[in-house]
Amino acid sequence: MLMFFYFSTFFLCGFWVFCMDRKHLLITLLSLEFMVLSLFVLMYYYLCGFNYEFYFVIVFLVFSVCEGSLGLSVLVSMIRSYGNDYYRSFCMLQC
């Protein structure tokens, strides 16, 4: 029960950083990865507690790696186009 409290607190801290910090795209991507990592550990302990199979954990890891690689590709293309990762320059793309 204590581990559930710790990792749910980690998830909420990552969510708070995701909602509050809107200056750099890299910090937003790191907070998303932090939330995914805490969800992974919560899922792993939950499945271990009930002696389930770990196939869903593997599928979750595959999708989280895809999410991370897509975020990094957007970050690299934005840095190559505009020279930084500020959200203010990202808003110029809407024009």
Side-chain angles (χ1 to χ4, degrees), residues 41 49 54 57 74 85-87:
V41 173
F54 295 114
V57 175
V74 166
D85 67 336
Y86 293 123
Y87 274 115

Side-chain angles (χ1 to χ4, degrees), residues 37-81:
L37 183 65
S38 65
L39 282 177
F40 167 71
V41 173
L42 276 172
M43 215 180 325
Y44 179 77
Y45 281 124
Y46 179 76
L47 293 175
C48 281
F50 291 111
N51 292 327
Y52 289 144
E53 296 290 330
F54 295 114
Y55 296 118
F56 185 70
V57 175
I58 299 295
V59 171
F60 183 77
L61 279 177
V62 167
F63 282 117
S64 65
V65 166
C66 291
E67 177 256 336
S69 66
L70 284 173
L72 284 176
S73 66
V74 166
L75 178 71
V76 167
S77 68
M78 186 174 168
I79 288 175
R80 284 185 180 176
S81 300

Side-chain angles (χ1 to χ4, degrees), residues 22-33:
R22 293 290 185 175
K23 191 172 182 181
H24 293 280
L25 182 63
L26 182 62
I27 293 174
T28 305
L29 291 174
L30 284 174
S31 67
L32 281 174
E33 289 299 320

